[in-house]
């Protein structure tokens, strides 16, 4: 029989065993630790089990079982390769005890895929705790942590939504893209200006939260208002941008009134006066690429009337190319200028107009993007209607391809040479 009578073992021996265990414990598995501790206890003799337990922190019963295994007093089945414990130990898996658990869980998580449109969680947030509660009501007792493990086993992951469904696209969508690209290359080879225009979303002015984060002293976030109610005095701003595709430079008019066709054309006029004329002193024409909605919509009569006024003032033939419906994100200004402006002011409250203008004007990229910005405090009323006579006075020449909606030329009225198509 093993000796359980405690006899004093020298503290130096216990310390030596402790040091050996600390060196080996990281490479020993459960069985290896038990057998190594048993070997040390057997070497120490009487009181060895308690001394090794004191040195290693292992239970005396664990060391005793190791001694029995080492001495061969307990017949044990040889463990299969790669196993630490003998087969048959431990509790059975919850899926083995409840074979219908996985099927019930999948029916709750993805009812449409599992043919269960009446799932109790169809219109509810499917957290692991709610899934566990719903399974319990169905007679499947399982914890929320086990639900998380089962979902991972079923290859489910926490995921957000993905913007990829664009709906029905126009049959000439790709053809219009190719047409715009050809026109841009022709103008660039001829040294004529090509710009991409659009209005950025309106922004609240004042100490309001802005998405994103920036470095600040620890524990000192910038205080902003709790609610996003527009300040009556400061209101909102509407940045309208013009991006020069050839020169990689941009202009932003920060409007304080409505986003109308008059404001859009006034922004182009400011760009030409401040930047465009200096870059293209010998320009004879201007190509504008724009989306099909908003203040520069392809069906907006006021947009075309205002462009006619601009063409008359500048003496330029203005060519307009609209992107097909639902494809405004392909407009160059979106991913070559606006995205960098948003990144530059992330995490900063736009407390006043000066801050907004300076943040826009100081936006740069490693590709050499430069932006100039200016506050436009003029008023642009809404609800202006264009009569048929006014619209007929526009010197508009439709293109052969989608000339009545997407592609057209507006010529200065001083030049009366008209052609049916171009």
């Amino acid at each position: 029989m093993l000796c359980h009578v405690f006899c004093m073992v020298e503290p130096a021996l216990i310390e030596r065993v402790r040091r050996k265990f600390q060196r080996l414990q990281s490479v020993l598995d459960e069985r290896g630790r038990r057998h190594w501790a048993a070997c040390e206890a057997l070497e120490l003799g009487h009181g060895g089990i308690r001394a090794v337990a004191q040195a290693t922190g292992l239970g005396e019963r664990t060391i005793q079982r190791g001694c029995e295994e080492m001495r061969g007093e307990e017949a044990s089945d040889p463990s299969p390769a790669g196993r630490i414990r003998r087969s048959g130990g431990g509790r059975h898996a919850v899926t083995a005890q409840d074979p219908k658990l996985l099927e019930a869980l999948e029916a709750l998580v993805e009812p449409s895929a599992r043919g269960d449109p009446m799932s109790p969680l169809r219109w509810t947030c499917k957290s692991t705790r709610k899934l566990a509660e719903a399974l319990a009501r169905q007679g499947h007792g399982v914890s929320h942590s086990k639900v998380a493990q089962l979902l991972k086993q079923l290859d489910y992951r926490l995921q957000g939504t993905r913007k990829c469904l664009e709906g029905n696209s126009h049959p000439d969508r790709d053809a219009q893209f190719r047409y715009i690209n050809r026109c841009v290359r022709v103008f660039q080879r001829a040294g004529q200006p090509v710009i991409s225009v659009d209005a950025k979303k309106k922004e609240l002015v004042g100490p309001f939260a802005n998405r994103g984060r920036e470095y600040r002293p620890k524990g000192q976030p910038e205080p902003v208002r709790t609610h996003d109610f527009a300040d009556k005095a400061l209101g909102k701003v509407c940045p309208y941008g013009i991006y020069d595709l050839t020169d990689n430079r941009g202009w932003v008019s920060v409007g304080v009134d409505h986003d109308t066709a008059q404001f859009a054309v006034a922004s182009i006029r400011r760009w030409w006066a401040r930047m465009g004329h200096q870059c293209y002193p010998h320009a004879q024409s201007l190509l504008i690429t724009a989306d099909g909605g908003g203040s520069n919509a392809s069906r907006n009569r006021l947009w075309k009337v205002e462009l006619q006024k601009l063409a008359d003032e500048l003496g330029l033939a203005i060519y307009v190319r609209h992107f097909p419906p639902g494809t405004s994100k392909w407009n160059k200004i979106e991913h070559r200028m606006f995205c960098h402006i948003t990144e530059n002011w992330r995490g900063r409250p736009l407390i006043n107009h000066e801050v907004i203008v300076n943040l826009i004007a100081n936006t740069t990229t490693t590709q050499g993007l430069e932006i100039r910005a200016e506050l436009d405090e003029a008023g642009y009323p809404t609800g202006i209607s264009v009569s048929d006579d006014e619209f007929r006075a526009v010197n508009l020449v439709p293109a052969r391809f989608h000339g009545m909606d997407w592609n057209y030329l507006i010529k200065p009225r001083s030049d009366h040479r008209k052609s049916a198509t171009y």
Side-chain angles (χ1 to χ4, degrees):
M1 293 180 60
L2 295 174
C3 177
H4 295 281
V5 180
F6 176 75
C7 67
M8 185 62 66
V9 178
E10 294 183 9
L13 289 176
I14 296 177
E15 184 61 29
R16 188 185 306 164
V17 172
R18 180 181 290 110
R19 289 198 301 269
K20 290 162 65 175
F21 180 72
Q22 289 174 349
R23 295 190 185 100
L24 290 172
Q25 65 174 339
S26 62
V27 297
L28 294 173
D29 55 27
E30 178 185 331
R31 194 179 188 189
R33 284 194 297 271
R34 185 172 67 246
H35 286 182
W36 177 86
C39 290
E40 292 292 332
L42 291 173
E43 287 295 324
L44 293 176
H46 294 298
I49 292 178
R50 182 167 296 183
V52 173
Q54 182 181 348
T56 63
L58 298 176
E60 293 185 21
R61 176 57 191 148
T62 299
I63 301 174
Q64 180 180 344
R65 185 154 54 94
C67 292
E68 293 171 353
E69 292 174 357
M70 295 296 293
R71 287 184 166 184
E73 294 182 5
E74 177 178 302
S76 59
D77 299 331
S79 298
R83 289 187 63 92
I84 298 174
R85 301 177 180 178
R86 295 192 302 274
S87 60
R91 291 181 298 175
H92 292 293
V94 65
T95 51
Q97 299 175 15
D98 188 354
K100 295 185 178 181
L101 175 61
L102 290 179
E103 182 180 348
L105 178 59
E106 279 199 284
L108 289 173
V109 176
E110 199 65 29
S112 58
R114 304 299 300 175
D116 185 12
M118 302 305 293
S119 169
L121 294 186
R122 182 173 177 83
W123 311 112
T124 308
C125 173
K126 301 180 185 68
S127 66
T128 54
R129 294 183 185 274
K130 289 190 176 181
L131 288 169
E133 292 172 2
L135 288 170
R137 289 194 293 269
Q138 295 178 9
H140 306 282
V142 63
S143 67
H144 70 91
S145 57
K146 176 53 85 173
V147 168
Q149 295 175 14
L150 294 176
L151 288 173
K152 187 174 182 180
Q153 177 183 328
L154 292 170
D155 204 25
Y156 282 89
R157 298 293 186 274
L158 287 173
Q159 300 181 77
T161 56
R162 178 187 296 173
K163 291 184 178 180
C164 59
L165 303 177
E166 297 186 2
N168 296 329
S169 60
H170 196 283
D172 291 333
R173 164 184 156 159
D174 293 342
Q176 176 67 1
F177 284 155
R178 290 192 292 269
Y179 183 70
I180 292 175
N181 289 334
R182 286 197 303 269
C183 293
V184 169
R185 287 197 296 268
V186 168
F187 269 70
Q188 288 178 330
R189 283 196 296 266
Q192 301 299 305
V194 181
I195 59 174
S196 170
V197 302
D198 197 11
K200 200 177 185 300
K201 75 177 184 70
K202 291 187 175 181
E203 301 286 349
L204 291 169
V205 184
F208 297 100
N210 206 351
R211 288 185 178 182
R213 297 180 293 176
E214 71 167 353
Y215 284 103
R216 288 183 57 83
K218 183 178 180 181
Q220 300 181 32
E222 181 128 13
V224 294
R225 293 184 183 179
T226 305
H227 302 290
D228 291 341
F229 298 122
D231 188 293
K232 292 183 179 179
L234 297 174
K236 299 180 180 181
V237 294
C238 177
Y240 193 92
I242 294 93
Y243 174 69
D244 187 334
L245 274 68
T246 306
D247 202 38
N248 194 28
R249 296 205 299 170
W251 170 270
V252 177
S253 287
V254 181
V256 297
D257 201 42
H258 300 97
D259 177 23
T260 67
Q262 287 182 323
F263 171 56
V265 176
S267 300
I268 299 174
R269 183 180 288 109
R270 284 171 177 250
W271 163 80
W272 180 257
R274 306 291 197 278
M275 301 177 69
H277 181 64
Q278 288 80 3
C279 292
Y280 306 96
H282 305 294
Q284 297 178 347
S285 57
L286 169 67
L287 175 61
I288 299 175
T289 64
D291 58 24
S295 56
N296 46 238
S298 58
R299 297 183 180 181
N300 190 335
R301 282 188 167 193
L302 185 59
W303 159 255
K304 295 173 182 177
V305 169
E306 292 297 321
L307 283 180
Q308 180 66 74
K309 295 178 183 178
L310 181 64
D312 294 342
E313 292 174 19
L314 305 182
L316 296 177
I318 298 178
Y319 293 77
V320 182
R321 301 290 180 265
H322 290 282
F323 285 89
T327 62
S328 60
K329 64 183 179 180
W330 300 108
N331 202 357
K332 297 294 184 183
I333 194 172
E334 295 286 351
H335 49 86
R336 288 193 181 177
M337 193 173 84
F338 282 165
C339 64
H340 299 299
I341 293 174
T342 302
E343 182 181 3
N344 195 49
W345 67 29
R346 71 183 187 276
R348 299 188 185 185
L350 308 176
I351 57 176
N352 55 45
H353 295 149
E354 183 182 2
V355 167
I356 296 173
V357 171
N358 285 330
L359 286 173
I360 293 174
N362 284 279
T363 301
T364 58
T365 66
T366 55
Q367 285 74 33
L369 173 67
E370 295 181 10
I371 302 176
R372 292 176 61 183
E374 189 176 280
L375 187 66
D376 185 353
E377 297 182 291
Y380 297 99
T382 59
I384 297 177
S385 60
V386 176
S387 66
D388 292 342
D389 292 338
E390 289 178 307
F391 188 68
R392 278 194 293 267
V394 176
N395 194 1
L396 188 147
V397 184
R400 292 189 181 93
F401 181 72
H402 279 277
M404 301 305 297
D405 47 7
W406 293 344
N407 308 303
Y408 49 87
L409 161 65
I410 296 179
K411 302 170 69 176
R413 276 180 288 207
S414 58
D415 181 3
H416 297 290
R417 292 172 298 173
K418 282 192 175 183
S419 58
T421 58
Y422 64 92

